[in-house]
Amino acid sequence: MLVEGLIAVAAAGGTAVVQAAGTDAWNGIREGFARLFGRGEAGREQAELERLDQTRSVLEAAGDGDDAQRVQIAQVARWQTRLETLLEELPAEEQQLVVAELQALVAQAEAAKPVETVHNDFSQASFTNSQVLGSGTMTVTNNYDK
């Protein structure tokens, strides 16, 4: 049974796979996860590349419609479960190495997340009979999941 910290790392890994699909960072993250699961075996690594490609295809097919969020959640859960199983089967010393690799991949996926910026300029606005008390420039930056 995995400790809570390892479950959290596996959850972050599952999220990273889904976040990275469709970004410029996909190829590097895809290869990193395949190496992680392959553990030095070329055949296993190739099978993982195919699974990752399937995940990307499923996510792309879901698009931005109503099903997209459900599909994303299902794919995160799928990869989290696979990562939990991998970590559970490793000896403690190897487990820590895999956790470090996984954390690096998660950081790489986080860095690749698209950023959305909204800029509102209120410098010439007049706010009579409103709840807005002031004027100036406001910039809001939101990170969002694809």
Side-chain angles (χ1 to χ4, degrees):
M1 175 156 223
L2 289 177
V3 295
E4 194 172 310
L6 293 177
I7 292 171
V9 170
T15 300
V17 169
V18 171
Q19 281 178 344
T23 69
D24 291 340
W26 173 248
N27 286 334
I29 290 171
R30 172 184 172 265
E31 290 169 9
F33 273 97
R35 274 191 312 276
L36 188 81
F37 280 103
R39 309 305 311 141
E41 295 179 28
R44 284 179 60 187
E45 192 170 317
Q46 183 58 44
E48 294 305 327
L49 288 170
E50 291 170 12
R51 281 188 186 96
L52 287 157
D53 288 341
Q54 180 185 21
T55 293
R56 183 176 180 178
S57 294
V58 167
L59 291 167
E60 287 175 349
D64 294 327
D66 295 335
D67 275 347
Q69 187 174 14
R70 181 188 57 77
V71 169
Q72 289 173 355
I73 291 168
Q75 290 300 312
V76 167
R78 174 184 183 209
W79 286 100
Q80 177 182 347
T81 301
R82 297 199 70 239
L83 288 163
E84 287 175 2
T85 302
L86 172 69
L87 291 169
E88 217 168 33
E89 293 173 350
L90 295 173
E93 58 278 353
E94 194 175 349
Q95 197 176 65
Q96 293 309 309
L97 294 172
V98 170
V99 165
E101 289 177 54
L102 185 53
Q103 289 171 328
L105 288 167
V106 168
Q108 187 179 350
E110 280 292 316
K113 279 174 52 173
V115 175
E116 178 182 272
T117 300
V118 177
H119 179 81
N120 296 310
D121 186 353
F122 297 107
S123 60
Q124 301 299 316
S126 173
F127 300 103
T128 14
N129 297 325
S130 75
Q131 297 298 315
V132 178
L133 303 173
S135 64
T137 300
M138 174 179 77
T139 299
V140 178
T141 302
N142 294 314
N143 290 329
Y144 64 94
D145 298 330
K146 181 171 186 248

